[in-house]
């Protein structure tokens, strides 16, 4: 069961700079969890459903999905809607991690069933602490839903 | 009682009395006859008794057989007479019995005398016989006298009765005659009196009625023939009166009809002129749709003269394309489907069509059923229609333009929104990266960086921070113009506290004297009003940074502002500080976007805050202004319309 505790963190983010900064932050948190990065919504869904490039991956859902909104092909809100309407995935913890403070985005995200909405702080210090705390909370503290249905 | 009855009574009563008189007389006559019979019998008896005495006297003288026989016969005759009288007149029986007795006694005495005279065996002394005879004869005479007295008494009695009877008859006759005379006189007097009274009132009545007083009625009429005559006279007077009344009303009617005819003539003349010279086209057609009247206005409208139109079918007036429809309307107007502002095009002599608005009415004969004509009056609305058409097309054009503009605005708004979204999202990401990587660079150098390099990196970080604030302010400004106003009852005290709290924490190291007055409730958007207070309080704190103590006063103006009496009433809020102030000549630049009156090195800021304040206050229907002097503090005012119902 210890292995299960170290489930992956899935990061859906198209901007390589953000990916790098986020990974840096998670790295500084010294989490043992593996972080998988996907560049858009389509890849994210493929990973979650073990399809295409991810058909060979080990089974099991990630501990949390850190989901950017603005991504090519399929954006974060579409991914969220897809997850919540999929019986196999609908309990997956999803944290929206975005630059947008738009009320519209916040409301839509919660309406679609986001577990949290975090605005990426511009200031690096704040950004680091936010990501660190997120990783720690969702990968370690949070009790995950039972895997699979 | 009717007169005839009265007269009949007046005649009948004497007749009846005469009858009674007759009957009385008859009865009296009968009783007189009886009395006379009795008298005759009594006299006969008296005479017979006399004869009997004479016979007895004669006998005594001769003693003859004849006298003897005569006496006996006469005596029997008298007895017979008396017996007969007794049986016939019982009332005399008493006296007759006495007479009969005396006669019988005379007979007996006579027979004794006779017996004395008869020779018998022994001769009786003659003297003695004479004595006896004398005595017997005397007795016989006495008896005879007595009988004759009785008979005479009877006769006298009967005579007396007869006299009484005759007196009675006379009395009865006199009484009846008197009664007859009296009743006839009384009846006549009554009748005459009645008749005279009635005749008098009749005469008065006939005189009055005859004199023309037809209202006169004979009153107090008796229920008799004269009364009937009076009633007939009354009826006659009544009939005469009604005849007279109807005659006078007939005269009145003739007079009023004459007046009505005059009025009619006048009205007709008015109407003719009204129709002919009315400014509106007027047309009249008969039930066969033939035009019977065509006024001057219609001539002007069509350019045709009435003489060419009157007598023609109305069809001549309509343009070909609408003539079928219009003729149908004409037919329906005749049937009673009247026109009420109905549009019918009319063709002019020049071939041009005028649009006319029509109203129609029907004219009936006196019986109310026979249609005489239909009259229609029109209003030429060709010019109006044209104007309306122009207005309509202008309106449509304007509407289209508004729609186009709205669409442009919408698309501009959408673009702005998309732009804002981009700014919010895309512009922040590179900033974050710059900040992140410069921080990582600093970490990585880990003291291996000289002072200058460190300064560069710090400046990069600070610029990033400034730009972050700028982006946030711009977004806020954009949002405050775009988002819908959530109007509600807002307690300004509460909003002020919410805005002040973070600022107090931020400035906890400073000596600021906050003076806060009581604030009213307003109608507005809570979040936006909080931005207003945040901005104004933030500015006041910022620009009084050099003061110790800084003094910031918040409140509302008790009296109206000096800028004139505002209508409708408004609440004027102010924030006053004792900061650096500004020169009033630049006051108009205060509320422009990116406009600043102080250098960024002295007072940080993006130049968006007050523009945002102005935009929010204006969206609330209010206004904002400021008063200041350089170095003597500044006061910012904003006015919001008073809540309805607020004192």
């Amino acid at each position: 069961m210890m292995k299960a505790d170290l489930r992956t963190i899935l990061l859906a983010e198209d901007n390589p700079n953000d990916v790098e900064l986020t990974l840096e932050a998670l790295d500084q948190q010294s989490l043992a969890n593996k972080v998988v990065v996907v560049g858009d919504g389509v890849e994210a869904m493929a990973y979650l459903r073990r399809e295409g490039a991810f058909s060979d991956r080990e089974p099991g859902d990630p501990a949390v999905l850190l989901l950017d909104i603005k991504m090519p092909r399929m954006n974060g809100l579409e991914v969220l809607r897809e997850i919540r309407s999929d019986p196999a995935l609908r309990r997956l913890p999803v944290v929206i991690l975005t630059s947008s403070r738009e009320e519209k985005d916040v409301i839509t995200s919660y309406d679609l069933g986001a577990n949290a909405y975090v605005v990426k702080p511009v200031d690096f210090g704040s950004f680091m602490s936010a990501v660190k705390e997120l990783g720690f909370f969702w990968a370690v503290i949070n009790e995950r839903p039972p895997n699979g249905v | 009682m009717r007169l005839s009855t009265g007269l009949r009574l007046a005649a009948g009563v004497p007749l009846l009395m005469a009858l009674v008189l007759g009957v009385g007389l008859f009865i009296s006559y009968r009783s007189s006859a009886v009395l006379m019979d009795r008298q005759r019998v009594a006299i006969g008896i008296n005479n017979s008794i006399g004869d009997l005495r004479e016979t007895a006297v004669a006998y005594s003288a001769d003693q003859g057989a004849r006298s003897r026989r005569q006496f006996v016969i006469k005596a029997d005759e008298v007895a017979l007479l008396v017996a007969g009288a007794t049986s016939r007149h019982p009332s005399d029986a008493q006296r007759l019995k006495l007479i009969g007795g005396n006669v019988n006694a005379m007979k007996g005495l006579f027979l004794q005398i006779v017996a004395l005279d008869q020779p018998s065996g022994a001769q009786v002394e003659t003297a003695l016989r004479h004595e006896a005879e004398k005595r017997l004869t005397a007795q016989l005479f006495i008896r005879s006298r007595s009988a004759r007295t009785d008979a005479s008494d009877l006769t006298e009695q009967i005579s007396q009765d007869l006299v009484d009877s005759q007196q009675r008859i006379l009395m009865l006759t006199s009484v009846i005659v008197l009664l007859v005379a009296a009743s006839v006189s009384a009846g006549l007097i009554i009748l005459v009196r009645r008749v005279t009274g009635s005749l008098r009132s009749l005469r008065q009545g006939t005189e009055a009625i005859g004199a023309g007083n037809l209202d006169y009625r004979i009153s107090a009429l008796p229920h008799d023939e004269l009364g009937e005559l009076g009633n007939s006279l009354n009826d006659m007077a009544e009939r005469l009166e009604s005849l007279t009344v109807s005659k006078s009303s007939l005269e009145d009617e003739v007079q009023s009809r004459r007046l009505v005819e005059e009025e009619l003539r006048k009205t007709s003349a008015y109407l003719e002129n009204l129709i002919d010279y009315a400014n509106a086209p007027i047309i009249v057609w008969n039930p066969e749709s033939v035009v019977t009247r065509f006024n001057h206005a219609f001539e002007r409208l069509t350019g045709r003269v009435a003489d060419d139109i009157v007598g023609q079918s109305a069809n001549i007036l309509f343009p070909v394309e609408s003539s079928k429809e219009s003729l149908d309307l004409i037919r329906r107007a005749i049937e009673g489907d009247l026109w009420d502002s109905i549009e019918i095009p009319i063709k002019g002599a020049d071939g041009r069509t005028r649009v006319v608005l029509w109203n129609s009415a029907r004219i009936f004969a006196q019986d109310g059923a026979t249609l005489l004509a239909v009259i229609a009056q029109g209003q030429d609305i060709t010019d109006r229609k044209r104007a309306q058409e122009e207005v309509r097309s202008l309106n449509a054009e304007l509407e289209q333009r508004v729609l186009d503009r709205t669409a442009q605005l919408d698309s501009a708004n959408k673009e702005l929104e998309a732009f804002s979204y981009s700014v919010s999202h895309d512009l922040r990401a590179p900033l974050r990266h710059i900040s992140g990587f410069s921080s990582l660079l600093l970490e990585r150098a880990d003291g291996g960086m000289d002072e200058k390099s460190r300064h560069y990196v710090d400046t990069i970080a600070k610029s990033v921070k400034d730009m972050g604030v700028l982006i946030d302010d711009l977004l806020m400004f954009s949002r405050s113009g775009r988002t819908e106003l959530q109007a509600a009852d807002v307690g300004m005290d509460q909003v002020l506290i919410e805005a002040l709290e973070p600022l107090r924490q931020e400035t906890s190291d400073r000596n600021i004297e906050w003076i806060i007055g009581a604030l009213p409730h307003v109608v507005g958007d809570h979040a936006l009003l909080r931005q207003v207070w945040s901005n104004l309080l933030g500015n006041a704190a910022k620009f009084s940074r050099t003061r110790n103590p800084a003094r910031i006063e918040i409140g509302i103006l008790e009296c109206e502002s000096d800028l004139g009496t505002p209508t409708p009433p408004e609440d004027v809020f102010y924030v006053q500080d004792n900061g650096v102030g500004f020169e009033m000549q630049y006051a108009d630049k205060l509320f422009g976007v990116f406009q600043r009156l102080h250098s960024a090195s002295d007072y940080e800021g993006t130049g968006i805050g007050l523009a945002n304040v102005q935009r929010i206050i204006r969206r609330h229907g209010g206004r904002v202004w400021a008063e200041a002097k350089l170095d003597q503090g500044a006061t910012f005012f904003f006015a919001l319309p008073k809540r309805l119902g607020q004192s």
Side-chain angles (χ1 to χ4, degrees):
Chain A
M1 287 308 285
M2 280 308 286
K3 212 165 185 227
D5 285 339
L6 290 175
R7 272 194 284 180
T8 50
I9 293 171
L10 181 59
L11 174 65
E13 171 66 70
D14 65 322
N15 188 309
N17 289 336
D18 271 324
V19 171
E20 195 179 340
L21 288 174
T22 309
L23 289 178
E24 178 66 31
L26 291 174
D27 190 42
Q28 286 193 11
Q29 181 66 12
S30 311
L31 283 173
N33 304 61
K34 179 183 163 198
V35 178
V36 177
V37 179
V38 289
D40 61 38
V42 177
E43 281 182 27
M45 290 315 296
Y47 176 86
L48 289 171
R49 288 174 174 158
R50 299 174 68 211
E51 291 166 354
F54 299 100
S55 52
D56 295 338
R57 80 163 173 90
E58 278 186 32
D61 291 337
V64 65
L65 165 59
L66 301 178
L67 184 60
D68 188 22
I69 290 181
K70 204 176 174 199
M71 293 185 294
R73 296 206 285 178
M74 187 179 184
N75 72 27
L77 297 176
E78 288 167 324
V79 171
L80 181 58
R81 183 178 291 119
E82 188 79 17
I83 287 170
R84 289 300 179 233
S85 59
D86 185 336
L89 297 171
R90 64 194 168 95
R91 296 198 184 92
L92 180 73
V94 176
V95 173
I96 301 292
L97 189 60
T98 175
S99 306
S100 170
R101 283 181 195 281
E102 285 292 306
E103 200 178 67
K104 195 180 73 189
D105 285 339
V106 180
I107 290 171
T108 311
S109 300
Y110 278 114
D111 285 350
L112 288 174
N115 296 77
Y117 189 100
V118 178
V119 178
K120 298 172 187 165
V122 171
D123 176 66
F124 182 66
S126 309
F127 179 81
M128 289 292 276
S129 59
V131 174
K132 280 178 186 172
E133 280 171 30
L134 266 179
F136 183 65
F137 178 82
W138 288 103
V140 180
I141 297 177
N142 186 45
E143 185 70 33
R144 296 179 305 273
N147 192 18
V149 183
Chain B
M1 195 198 288
R2 296 178 60 81
L3 280 179
S4 53
T5 317
L7 284 170
R8 255 177 232 130
L9 271 175
V13 167
L15 204 65
L16 197 67
M17 286 181 173
L19 199 64
V20 169
L21 182 64
V23 170
L25 287 175
F26 176 68
I27 292 167
S28 303
Y29 169 74
R30 285 288 300 277
S31 79
S32 293
V34 169
L35 284 169
M36 280 159 78
D37 185 49
R38 279 167 61 196
Q39 195 179 37
R40 195 169 36 80
V41 169
I43 290 167
I45 290 169
N46 198 6
N47 292 340
S48 299
I49 294 167
D51 286 351
L52 199 59
R53 186 179 169 265
E54 293 302 315
T55 313
V57 170
Y59 177 76
S60 49
D62 62 7
Q63 268 113 25
R66 195 173 160 253
S67 299
R68 198 188 59 212
R69 277 197 310 268
Q70 272 191 338
F71 187 91
V72 173
I73 291 166
K74 279 201 189 279
D76 287 344
E77 272 179 19
V78 172
L80 266 175
L81 271 175
V82 169
T86 307
S87 69
R88 264 164 54 205
H89 303 293
S91 56
D92 300 335
Q94 193 61 39
R95 276 208 174 87
L96 289 170
K97 197 179 168 188
L98 289 171
I99 293 167
N102 287 325
V103 170
N104 271 340
M106 280 169 75
K107 191 181 171 185
L109 290 166
F110 182 74
L111 287 175
Q112 282 174 26
I113 293 166
V114 168
L116 285 172
D117 294 339
Q118 285 302 311
S120 60
Q123 269 293 326
V124 178
E125 299 245 356
T126 311
L128 273 175
R129 236 190 21 213
H130 277 292
E131 206 37 54
E133 263 191 44
K134 247 172 97 180
R135 278 191 188 177
L136 284 170
T137 304
Q139 275 184 21
L140 191 145
F141 285 165
I142 289 167
R143 289 281 177 182
S144 160
R145 197 158 49 243
S146 177
R148 287 194 69 173
T149 307
D150 281 341
S152 295
D153 283 354
L154 186 59
T155 307
E156 200 164 322
Q157 174 65 46
I158 288 170
S159 296
Q160 190 60 47
D161 282 356
L162 200 57
V163 169
D164 286 353
S165 166
Q166 275 166 354
Q167 275 178 348
R168 272 202 306 277
I169 286 170
L170 187 63
M171 191 97 98
L172 179 67
T173 308
S174 311
V175 167
I176 286 180
V177 165
L178 274 173
L179 275 175
V180 166
S183 68
V184 165
S185 309
L188 280 176
I189 286 168
I190 292 169
L191 273 173
V192 163
R193 196 169 280 173
R194 266 184 60 187
V195 168
T196 317
S198 300
L199 280 176
R200 193 182 301 126
S201 50
L202 282 174
R203 199 194 69 220
Q204 280 174 0
T206 46
E207 275 173 1
I209 292 165
N213 184 4
L214 296 178
D215 289 338
Y216 191 90
R217 293 291 178 273
I218 302 161
S219 58
L221 286 166
H223 296 289
D224 57 18
E225 290 82 346
L226 287 173
E228 285 164 6
L229 181 63
N231 283 330
S232 302
L233 272 174
N234 283 345
D235 288 352
M236 186 186 78
E238 202 165 301
R239 258 176 243 136
L240 266 176
E241 193 181 16
S242 66
L243 272 177
T244 314
V245 167
S246 58
K247 184 183 165 229
S248 77
S249 71
L250 204 63
E251 279 166 359
D252 287 353
E253 202 172 307
V254 167
Q255 179 62 25
S256 64
R257 187 161 292 186
R258 206 170 288 141
L259 286 174
V260 166
E261 273 167 11
E262 176 59 20
E263 282 300 309
L264 265 178
R265 198 192 59 74
K266 270 197 255 173
T267 310
S268 169
Y270 286 143
L271 284 178
E272 298 270 319
N273 281 309
L274 190 63
I275 289 175
D276 279 345
Y277 295 102
N279 219 9
I282 294 174
I283 184 169
V284 179
W285 64 89
N286 66 13
E288 283 74 45
S289 309
V290 172
V291 178
T292 57
R293 193 173 259 284
F294 194 76
N295 76 345
H296 297 329
F298 219 145
E299 289 181 334
R300 287 196 296 278
L301 178 76
T302 55
R304 295 161 183 269
V305 288
D307 291 346
D308 293 346
I309 303 295
V310 170
Q312 303 263 14
S313 161
N315 192 22
I316 194 170
L317 295 167
F318 304 133
V320 183
E321 61 271 19
S322 61
S323 90
K324 190 165 174 289
E325 216 175 292
S326 302
L327 277 176
D328 194 46
L329 284 170
I330 290 252
R331 184 183 52 71
R332 277 162 57 189
I334 289 169
E335 285 166 4
D337 194 0
L338 294 183
W339 301 347
D340 182 14
S341 297
I342 283 185
E343 240 180 69
I344 298 177
I346 297 294
K347 187 176 67 180
D350 56 1
R352 284 168 61 187
T353 298
R354 313 284 301 175
V355 182
V356 184
L357 213 54
W358 292 99
N359 286 61
S360 80
R362 292 196 295 171
I363 300 167
F364 287 98
Q366 199 161 14
D367 60 6
T370 312
L371 181 68
L372 295 179
V374 178
I375 184 165
Q377 178 239 310
Q379 185 191 359
D380 183 3
I381 56 164
T382 315
D383 295 340
R384 195 169 87 193
K385 284 285 272 197
R386 196 174 295 136
Q388 273 176 355
E389 198 48 54
E390 272 168 30
V391 168
R392 193 175 301 132
S393 80
L394 274 177
N395 267 344
E397 202 178 306
L398 206 64
E399 253 165 56
Q400 188 52 48
R401 230 185 273 172
V402 168
L403 280 178
D404 291 350
R405 279 288 156 79
T406 311
Q408 285 171 4
L409 263 178
D410 275 354
S411 91
N413 231 355
K414 287 243 171 62
E415 273 169 34
L416 193 66
E417 214 161 308
F419 173 75
S420 300
Y421 192 79
S422 277
V423 168
S424 156
H425 196 271
D426 295 350
L427 218 55
R428 235 197 285 257
L431 277 184
R432 196 166 54 244
H433 302 153
I434 296 167
S435 166
F437 286 110
S438 58
S439 298
L440 286 176
L441 177 66
L442 205 60
E443 264 176 43
R444 199 159 187 85
D446 193 23
M449 197 178 272
D450 59 20
E451 199 56 36
K452 204 134 198 165
S453 305
R454 185 174 291 276
H455 168 70
Y456 293 153
V457 174
D458 283 346
T459 306
I460 290 170
K462 188 174 176 305
S463 298
V464 165
K465 205 177 225 169
D466 286 350
M467 185 146 180
V469 172
L470 187 60
I471 288 170
D472 282 347
D473 281 0
L474 264 179
L475 274 177
M476 184 180 66
F477 182 64
S478 151
R479 216 178 287 132
S480 70
R482 282 184 289 126
T483 55
E484 199 149 325
L485 209 67
Q486 306 288 326
D489 179 80
V490 177
M492 279 301 219
D493 287 322
Q494 179 59 33
V495 183
L496 179 74
I497 288 168
E498 286 174 21
L500 189 56
E501 200 44 47
L503 188 62
R504 270 189 160 151
Q505 286 178 9
E506 242 173 71
T507 59
S508 54
D509 56 336
R510 283 180 50 196
N511 182 12
I512 300 178
E513 186 185 338
W514 296 97
I515 302 158
I516 300 169
L519 300 179
H521 280 240
V522 297
V523 174
D525 187 306
H526 191 108
L528 292 179
L529 288 174
R530 189 176 55 223
Q531 283 183 29
V532 169
W533 284 116
S534 283
N535 272 301
L536 294 179
L537 297 177
N539 278 351
K542 182 162 69 183
F543 292 106
S544 61
R545 188 153 56 196
T546 55
R547 304 293 194 255
N548 193 7
R551 192 175 174 283
I552 299 174
E553 185 178 333
I554 299 127
I556 57 164
L557 288 187
E558 286 305 327
C559 50
E560 306 299 350
S561 79
D562 351 333
L563 296 178
T565 308
T567 47
E570 50 188 14
D571 288 315
V572 181
F573 300 84
Y574 68 88
V575 177
Q576 188 172 44
D577 63 64
N578 60 345
V580 295
F582 55 87
E583 286 173 278
M584 275 304 278
Q585 64 188 101
Y586 303 119
D588 58 324
K589 290 192 172 178
L590 271 175
F591 300 100
V593 190
F594 298 127
Q595 297 284 340
R596 310 199 69 229
L597 300 185
H598 300 276
S599 71
S601 55
D602 291 340
Y603 295 100
E604 75 288 346
T606 54
I608 291 173
L610 284 177
N612 198 33
V613 165
Q614 187 181 52
R615 175 176 272 183
I616 290 170
I617 294 300
R618 282 190 176 166
R619 288 193 70 195
H620 280 78
R623 56 207 175 86
V624 56
W625 68 98
E627 287 167 10
K629 266 187 184 168
L630 198 57
D631 265 341
Q632 291 183 23
T635 310
F636 283 82
F637 300 91
F638 66 95
L640 291 175
K642 260 191 200 300
R643 283 199 310 162
L644 281 178
Q646 190 186 15
S647 59

